[in-house]
Structure formats: structure tokens, C-alpha cells
């Protein structure tokens, strides 16, 4: 009986415990469910608050961007994302589609003066939330050339393209075009990428000619300046009054700072300075040029013009296998070559070139000296000096005066004047040991042992030693091809490139830059004035007259001064 009661009590206790555990577990589940619901409700409220804040921030950002666009565009808002395509053009003026013309015209943009645009690369892989505010996004500015591009695209000239995409080019590059207003520039600091740009005569005029094709400048951009066959890249380091300025109808003070690249890393020819009386050592390879420069100042020119001294340029070869040629030109021709030069020497081995007042082109100025490697690799020393020749002249005068006091007779063999008392003995000796060259126009008296080594060029008749004939034929009589297509020998080629070749460089009388002469001017009046094709176009620019303020074309300013102001 007790056993059954105990079993019943145990069973009851067990059932009560199980009911308590189930109730406790139910309460725990309800508590967790309420906690989870609370967390979900809080997360939902947080998300809603975040979306509201994001929407407010986006609206504020859009309003701020709108205000910035209004301020940047002086009341005009224009922004497009277009696919960039390159086109061959100079300067920084881009081509936009016709729809952009309509949109800008409707807002009256053309009434506010020249159009300027900010161009930014759209980072396609970046999230839309980042936008184009990343400082690493390439940005530049430009003007507009015309509205003829295909819809959905913008045509970029090489200057703008290289500044926006200096490295990798996306498959379909997108560019954001935004209308902006730019202040007129007053100051620019530029730095060439290589040495030698400051050696260009009137290098600021060369830069001015290049900037004439630009509408804007942006800090950090790289400008490409072409001067003949030379190309220089200049980085914009600083601008005033803003980091982005307009260069239209404004005068800008320009500072050119030195390049920070080592001289040896430059692929452009560089003029190394030469000091009078000091030799410079160098090595030149076959087919290459080394260039130097020296200056004849007023003091040196007074000494040379007096006739007592002469200018001597000397090259002394240090190696026996190689050979060099020497070319000299006066600026603005800064890099003399086989085709273009004013003085040259082609002697084998060491050579000396004498310049005196007899040379019409010699005068005060800067000169370039080119050492050309004609054969092999040559070590040399080059020097420029002013040599006194007064003592030499005095000796020659003394000799001539003494010979006039003596009764002389002309030798029938060598044609020299010999004192009559010794003429018989001289002619007997001269006929045995000396032979006169019978080549027409030569008449050089040679020793019998030198006759076999004395030869004349079959084409020009000049006299040489046999060892010099090969170089003479190669230098003077081997046909050379001009870039314009003409094929001529050296002497004719030098004349051709100095006065006839349409690709020859001339100094424009209006812009001061060295430019290809081109063909004859289209205008008959310009041809009568002697203007080249470039000068005819360059001279068509107008400038205010200093006397009356009237706008007159540059090429007609002299006629205007004579006809209107009676100034000769």
C-alpha cells in the first residue's frame, strides 16, 4: 500500500516538474520572440532614419552642386556625360554634339562670351555614391571648337586626351562635361620635362604661338610645344589668380623654371656651353651629333671687327679610327646639320675653321656648333678662341717689302719670283725636283714624290690627297634627300634648304617663332610683300594702333603708319 502511494506521489511530482519546465521554456521562447521583434523594429526604424538622412544629404548635396554649378557657370547649368573619342587637332578646343549647342543657346551661354568647360573622367568601376569628387580623378579644362560631334560623344584633341588619359585608356571612356566660368590668367609658372627649351631663340614667343591655340590653362596639365622637328612638354606648376584660367585676350606673365630631369636622360639635342679659350672633351658616335653654343658679345666683336684677330674653332681628334665633321650656324638656327648650316669643315682628323670679318653672317650673337660623327666612335676636344694675327701680318708685310727691293725674275717651272742672280740655279733645281700640276685651274707645285698622291675630283675639280677623296665624294657628291622630296648634292641642298624648301624654318616677322615657310602666300599682295604662307596668315591678326587705337592687321601696320600717320 505504501509502495503504491509512493509511486503515485513520485509520478505526480514528475508531472508537475514537467509542466513547470514546459511553462518556463514557453516563457523563454516568448521572451526571445519579443526581443527579436524589438530588435527588428529598431533595425527597421534605424534603416528608415538612415534613408531619410541619406535623402536629406543627397538633396543638400544636389542643392549645393546646383549652387556650385550656378556660381561656376554664372547662372548657367550645363552638365553631360559623353563618350570620349580622339581627333587630330591642336590646342584644347573640343567638339560637342549639336544638342549641346541647343541647350547652351537656350540658357543664353553664347551671350556671356567664350565657352569654357570642365572635363572630368567618369570612374565607371566606382560606385555611384562616390561620384567624381575623388581627387585622383583626372580633370582639365577646355574651350569648344564646333558642335559637330556625334550625339552621345565628345571629340577631344591630343592635348586634352593626353591630360585626361595619361596612362591606361578605358575601352569606352566616359567624360563629364560641365560648363564653367574662368577668370583671365595673369601669371603662369611652367617647367619643361627636358633641358634645352630655354636655348630656343625667343622661346617665350614660341610658347605664345602655342598658347594661341588654347583657350584655357589648368594647373597640373602638360602642354606640348613644337618647334620645327623638336618637341617639348611643359608642365603647368602654378597659375594666378586661380588654378584654372582663361588665356583668351589677356597678357600672362610667364616664368620658365629649369627641368628637374638629369641632362643625360634627355632625348632632345642639348646645347652645351663653350667658353672662349677652354676646350671641352666629348665622344660622338657615327651618325650622331653633339651640340655646343658660344656667344660673340659686343666686346669680342669689337676686337674681331678691328681686323687684328680672328675667330678660330678647332677640333682635335683623340682616336685614330674615327672621324668627325664640323658644322656651325648662327641663331635662330640652333641645331646645324648636314643640310642646314652656315659654315662647315670636313677635313680628315683634326680640323680648324677660321671665321673673320670677311664672312657677312659673322657678327654679335649666339652660335651653335655641331660635331657630327662621320665614321666610327670618335673622342675629341673642341674649343673656340680668338687668335691674334697682327704679328703674322707684320711678318708678311716685311717679307713683301724686302722682295720688292730686289730684282726678281719669274721661274718658268713654279712661276715664283726668284732673284735674278740665282734664277739659273733655281730653275735647274726646280725642274728636277718640282712638278706643276697641269689640271686646269690648279697649278699647284708638287714635289716629285707627292705627284701620285695628288688627285682631282672628277665632278668639281677640287684637289685632294688620295686618302681624302672617299670622304669628299661621300660628303659633297652623294645625293641627299630633303624631307620635301628634293634629291640634291650637298652644296645645292644647303642652298635649297636656305631659300627654296617649303619646309625650311624661318623666323616669322609677326610672332617671332620659327615656323615652316610653306608655299607662296595665297594673296597676291602678300606675295609682293615677300610674305610666306605662315606669315600671310599670322599677319592677318589685328592689334590696336599705338597712335590712334584703331584695330589694324599686323601685316598692314607699316602701311597704316605711313598712310594715316605719315610715319616712315
Amino acid at each position: 500500500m505504501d509502495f503504491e502511494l509512493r509511486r503515485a506521489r513520485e509520478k505526480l511530482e514528475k508531472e508537475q516538474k514537467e509542466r513547470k519546465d514546459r511553462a518556463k521554456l514557453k516563457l523563454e521562447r516568448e521572451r526571445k520572440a519579443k526581443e527579436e521583434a524589438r530588435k527588428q523594429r529598431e533595425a527597421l526604424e534605424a534603416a528608415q532614419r538612415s534613408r531619410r538622412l541619406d535623402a536629406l544629404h543627397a538633396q543638400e548635396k544636389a542643392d549645393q552642386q546646383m549652387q556650385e554649378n550656378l556660381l561656376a557657370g554664372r547662372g548657367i547649368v550645363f552638365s553631360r556625360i559623353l563618350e570620349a573619342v580622339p581627333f587630330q587637332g591642336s590646342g584644347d578646343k573640343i567638339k560637342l554634339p549639336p544638342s549641346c549647342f541647343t541647350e547652351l543657346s537656350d540658357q543664353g551661354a553664347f551671350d556671356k562670351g567664350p565657352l569654357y568647360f570642365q572635363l572630368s573622367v567618369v570612374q565607371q568601376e566606382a560606385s555611384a555614391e562616390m561620384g567624381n569628387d575623388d581627387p585622383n580623378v583626372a580633370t582639365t579644362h577646355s574651350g569648344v571648337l564646333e558642335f559637330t560631334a556625334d550625339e552621345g560623344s565628345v571629340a577631344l584633341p591630343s592635348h586634352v586626351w593626353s591630360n585626361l588619359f595619361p596612362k591606361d585608356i578605358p575601352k569606352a571612356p566616359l567624360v563629364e562635361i560641365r560648363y564653367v566660368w574662368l577668370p583671365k590668367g595673369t601669371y603662369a609658372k611652367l617647367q619643361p620635362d627636358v633641358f634645352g627649351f630655354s636655348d630656343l631663340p625667343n622661346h617665350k614667343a614660341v610658347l605664345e604661338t602655342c598658347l594661341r591655340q588654347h583657350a584655357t590653362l589648368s594647373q597640373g596639365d602638360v602642354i606640348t610645344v613644337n618647334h620645327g622637328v623638336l618637341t617639348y612638354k611643359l608642365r603647368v606648376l602654378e597659375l594666378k589668380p586661380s588654378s584654372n584660367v582663361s588665356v583668351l585676350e589677356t597678357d600672362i606673365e610667364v616664368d620658365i623654371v629649369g627641368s628637374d630631369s638629369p641632362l643625360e636622360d634627355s632625348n632632345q639635342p642639348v646645347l652645351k656651353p663653350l667658353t672662349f679659350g677652354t676646350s671641352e672633351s666629348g665622344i660622338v658616335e657615327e651618325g650622331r651629333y653633339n651640340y655646343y653654343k658660344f656667344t660673340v658679345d659686343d666686346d669680342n666683336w669689337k676686337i674681331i671687327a678691328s681686323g687684328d684677330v680672328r675667330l678660330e674653332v678647332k677640333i682635335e681628334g683623340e682616336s685614330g679610327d674615327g672621324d668627325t665633321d664640323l658644322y656651325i650656324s648662327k641663331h635662330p638656327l640652333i641645331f646645324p646639320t648636314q643640310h642646314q648650316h652656315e659654315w662647315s669643315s670636313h677635313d680628315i682628323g683634326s680640323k680648324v675653321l677660321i671665321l673673320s670679318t670677311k664672312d657677312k653672317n659673322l657678327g654679335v650673337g649666339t652660335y651653335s656648333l655641331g660635331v657630327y660623327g662621320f665614321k666610327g666612335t670618335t673622342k675629341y676636344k673642341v674649343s673656340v678662341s680668338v687668335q691674334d694675327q697682327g704679328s703674322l701680318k707684320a711678318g708678311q708685310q716685311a717679307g713683301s717689302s724686302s722682295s720688292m727691293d730686289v730684282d726678281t725674275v719669274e721661274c718658268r717651272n713654279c712661276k715664283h719670283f726668284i732673284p735674278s742672280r740665282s734664277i739659273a740655279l733655281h730653275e735647274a733645281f726646280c725642274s728636277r725636283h718640282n712638278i706643276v700640276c697641269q689640271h686646269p685651274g690648279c697649278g699647284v707645285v708638287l714635289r716629285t714624290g707627292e705627284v701620285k698622291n695628288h688627285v682631282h675630283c672628277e665632278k668639281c675639280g677640287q684637289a685632294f690627297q688620295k686618302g681624302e677623296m672617299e670622304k669628299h665624294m661621300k660628303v659633297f657628291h652623294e645625293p641627299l634627300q630633303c624631307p620635301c622630296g628634293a634629291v640634291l648634292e650637298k652644296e645645292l641642298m644647303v642652298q635649297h634648304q636656305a631659300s627654296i624648301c617649303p619646309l625650311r624654318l624661318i623666323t616669322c616677322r609677326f610672332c617671332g617663332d620659327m615656323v615652316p615657310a610653306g608655299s607662296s602666300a595665297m594673296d597676291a599682295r602678300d606675295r609682293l610683300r615677300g610674305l610666306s604662307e605662315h606669315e600671310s596668315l599670322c599677319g592677318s591678326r589685328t592689334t590696336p594702333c599705338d597712335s590712334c587705337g584703331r584695330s589694324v592687321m599686323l601685316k598692314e601696320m607699316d602701311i597704316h603708319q605711313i598712310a594715316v600717320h605719315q610715319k616712315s
Side-chain angles (χ1 to χ4, degrees):
M1 187 72 179
D2 293 337
F3 175 76
E4 291 178 354
L5 291 173
R6 188 171 61 253
R7 288 287 301 274
R9 188 172 57 254
E10 289 176 354
K11 183 177 179 181
L12 179 61
E13 291 176 353
K14 184 177 179 181
E15 290 177 353
Q16 290 176 348
K17 184 179 179 180
E18 289 178 353
R19 284 195 297 272
K20 290 179 179 179
D21 290 342
R22 287 196 295 270
K24 185 178 180 180
L25 183 61
K26 182 178 179 182
L27 291 174
E28 184 67 21
R29 283 199 299 267
E30 290 177 353
R31 185 186 66 79
K32 288 183 178 181
K34 291 180 180 179
E35 183 69 20
E36 186 68 25
R38 184 183 63 81
K39 289 182 178 180
Q40 290 181 357
R41 184 171 62 256
E42 290 178 352
L44 182 60
E45 292 175 354
Q48 291 175 348
R49 286 196 302 269
S50 177
R51 283 196 294 270
R52 287 195 296 270
L53 289 175
D54 289 344
L56 289 174
H57 291 160
Q59 185 62 39
E60 291 177 357
K61 188 174 181 180
D63 294 340
Q64 182 181 0
Q65 186 66 50
M66 180 66 69
Q67 293 297 325
E68 291 178 356
N69 290 343
L70 287 172
L71 291 175
R74 294 294 179 94
I76 297 175
V77 179
F78 172 84
S79 180
R80 287 281 192 93
I81 294 180
L82 304 172
E83 181 179 350
V85 295
F87 81 95
Q88 295 298 323
S90 56
D92 67 345
K93 296 181 176 65
I94 62 176
K95 295 181 181 180
L96 291 172
S99 59
C100 295
F101 175 86
T102 304
E103 185 174 346
L104 289 167
S105 179
D106 291 342
Q107 298 187 55
F110 295 95
D111 298 332
K112 296 182 177 294
L115 304 182
Y116 306 112
F117 298 94
Q118 175 182 304
L119 286 73
S120 304
V121 177
V122 176
Q123 300 289 345
Q124 301 177 46
E125 68 279 2
S127 61
E129 298 175 355
M130 290 180 60
N132 285 334
D133 297 331
D134 186 356
N136 296 322
V137 173
T139 301
T140 188
H141 292 76
S142 74
V144 61
L145 180 64
E146 55 191 32
F147 294 88
T148 58
D150 295 335
E151 289 296 336
S153 66
V154 55
L156 307 180
S158 57
H159 166 78
V160 178
W161 185 274
S162 60
N163 282 293
L164 285 179
F165 309 106
K167 297 179 181 179
D168 298 332
I169 302 175
K171 292 182 179 179
L174 296 180
V175 176
E176 181 182 3
I177 315 294
R178 183 179 300 171
Y179 176 90
V180 294
W181 176 87
L182 295 179
K184 290 187 176 182
T186 58
Y187 172 81
K189 181 188 291 186
L190 308 177
Q191 182 182 43
D193 63 337
V194 295
F195 286 92
F197 179 75
S198 297
D199 291 328
L200 298 178
N202 298 325
H203 60 277
K204 289 194 175 181
V206 175
L207 180 60
E208 180 184 352
T209 302
C210 172
L211 291 181
R212 211 173 282 140
Q213 301 171 338
H214 288 249
T216 67
L217 276 182
S218 298
Q219 190 168 307
D221 276 4
V222 176
I223 304 171
T224 301
V225 179
N226 296 313
H227 182 74
V229 298
L230 304 176
T231 300
Y232 297 93
K233 295 184 180 297
L234 285 76
R235 182 170 293 279
V236 182
L237 299 182
E238 183 181 351
L239 292 170
K240 292 180 181 179
S242 173
S243 58
N244 308 294
V245 298
S246 165
V247 295
L248 296 178
E249 300 178 356
T250 182
D251 293 328
I252 299 181
E253 179 186 353
V254 178
D255 281 344
I256 308 294
V257 300
S259 171
D260 57 1
S261 63
L263 188 64
E264 293 77 7
D265 294 344
S266 174
N267 293 324
Q268 298 275 29
V270 177
L271 296 176
K272 301 177 183 178
L274 274 179
T275 304
F276 277 83
T278 304
S279 62
E280 292 287 341
S281 299
I283 301 176
V284 62
E285 299 177 356
E286 184 174 338
R288 303 293 296 273
Y289 288 91
N290 285 349
Y291 287 105
Y292 302 86
K293 66 177 179 179
F294 61 92
T295 301
V296 177
D297 55 20
D298 292 329
D299 296 335
N300 286 332
W301 177 243
K302 289 179 181 178
I303 299 174
I304 297 173
S306 67
D308 295 333
V309 299
R310 60 187 183 180
L311 190 64
E312 182 179 279
V313 182
K314 181 186 295 185
I315 292 184
E316 297 177 342
E318 297 183 0
S319 59
D321 297 335
D323 190 18
T324 60
D325 288 337
L326 173 64
Y327 300 100
I328 298 178
S329 66
K330 186 178 181 180
H331 290 190
L333 179 58
I334 58 176
F335 295 113
T337 64
Q338 292 175 300
H339 294 177
Q340 292 182 307
H341 59 268
E342 295 183 44
W343 301 277
S344 63
S345 177
H346 305 277
D347 297 336
I348 295 178
S350 300
K351 46 186 68 65
V352 177
L353 190 59
I354 305 298
L355 305 180
S356 65
T357 53
K358 295 180 181 179
D359 298 305
K360 297 180 180 180
N361 294 330
L362 185 65
V364 176
T366 303
Y367 295 79
S368 293
L369 186 155
V371 180
Y372 175 69
F374 177 79
K375 179 182 178 182
T377 300
T378 308
K379 294 182 179 180
Y380 63 88
K381 287 185 177 180
V382 60
S383 63
V384 179
S385 59
V386 177
Q387 298 293 334
D388 187 359
Q389 57 182 4
S391 59
L392 178 61
K393 287 187 175 182
Q396 290 176 343
Q397 292 173 357
S400 61
S401 62
S402 62
S403 63
M404 293 298 294
D405 295 337
V406 180
D407 184 19
T408 58
V409 178
E410 183 181 20
C411 174
R412 289 174 293 182
N413 186 50
C414 65
K415 306 302 180 183
H416 290 175
F417 286 91
I418 307 299
S420 58
R421 64 176 180 270
S422 59
I423 185 62
L425 182 62
H426 170 80
E427 287 184 341
F429 178 85
C430 185
S431 60
R432 291 196 306 270
H433 296 86
N434 296 332
I435 298 177
V436 179
C437 179
Q438 300 301 315
H439 190 278
C442 183
V444 175
V445 180
L446 302 167
R447 293 288 186 179
T448 54
E450 298 175 348
V451 174
K452 294 182 179 179
N453 200 33
H454 180 77
V455 294
H456 286 267
C457 176
E458 296 179 356
K459 292 189 174 183
C460 63
Q462 293 188 39
F464 299 96
Q465 294 183 355
K466 282 186 177 180
E468 299 174 338
M469 183 57 66
E470 180 182 358
K471 181 176 182 179
H472 170 78
M473 294 298 294
K474 186 171 183 179
V475 171
F476 288 90
H477 300 299
E478 187 173 281
L480 302 173
Q481 184 169 4
C482 180
C484 71
V487 179
L488 301 167
E489 293 183 359
K490 178 183 180 296
E491 295 293 340
L492 295 177
M493 180 62 73
V494 172
Q495 298 176 13
H496 167 77
Q497 293 205 343
S499 59
I500 303 175
C501 179
L503 300 180
R504 72 186 187 279
L505 294 179
I506 62 170
T507 302
C508 176
R509 65 188 77 180
F510 302 116
C511 66
D513 190 10
M514 286 196 69
V515 295
S519 56
S520 300
M522 297 294 293
D523 192 293
R525 293 174 298 176
D526 291 346
R527 290 198 297 271
L528 292 175
R529 294 190 187 106
L531 301 182
S532 67
E533 183 180 15
H534 167 84
E535 289 175 326
S536 177
L537 296 175
C538 187
S540 298
R541 294 181 291 115
T542 59
T543 187
C545 173
D546 294 335
S547 301
C548 63
R550 184 187 303 174
S551 293
V552 183
M553 285 194 294
L554 292 174
K555 61 185 178 183
E556 295 181 352
M557 183 62 72
D558 54 348
I559 300 175
H560 171 79
Q561 293 288 345
I562 296 172
V564 178
H565 305 292
Q566 287 77 44
K567 294 182 179 180
S568 58

